[in-house]
Amino acid sequence: MKQGLSIFGTEGFMRGRKRAVCALLAALMLAAAPMPPARAALPGSMMQLAEVLGAVHHLRTLCGTNEGPLWRNKMIEMMGVADPSETERQQLIQRFNDAYHRYRNSYQTCTSTAAGQADKLMQDGQRLADELASGGYGR
């Protein structure tokens, strides 16, 4: 075999080199292709709404509204619409649970203050839900 030539000979060497150049060009084109846009993070108002739902879940049950798991189910419904990442899903659940426990520790019986707080939270929740709907969530 001559020095400097591959076992394929000069013609095979050139074909192999052309293939390598084509493969390199294809790789560069793929690298330069625009990536799909990153999914935007959930809005903060959705995290706030998760807290409201957790608090309302406790207060409405405490005050005997007989709604059962309605507010927990609304939370599940909201997560279905939002399609959060796993991290965001865990954050939403944590916010719901933290608010539930915070209000459970603060209100053990239904008082006029507890009922008033539930009403205020319901209004806040409606406002947040309206903001989210106008921003494209829930459609």
Side-chain angles (χ1 to χ4, degrees), residues 79-95:
M79 288 192 304
V81 169
D83 190 29
S85 68
E86 183 58 28
T87 300
E88 292 167 330
R89 181 181 165 283
Q90 292 300 321
Q91 290 171 343
L92 287 166
I93 291 168
Q94 188 67 45
R95 294 278 188 103

Side-chain angles (χ1 to χ4, degrees), residues 52 55-61 63 65 103 107 110-125:
V52 167
V56 166
H57 182 59
H58 171 68
L59 292 171
R60 300 278 293 178
T61 301
C63 290
T65 58
Y103 278 83
Y107 299 98
C110 183
T111 62
S112 59
T113 305
Q117 186 65 34
D119 290 343
K120 181 188 176 309
L121 286 165
M122 296 281 287
Q123 291 171 359
D124 289 346

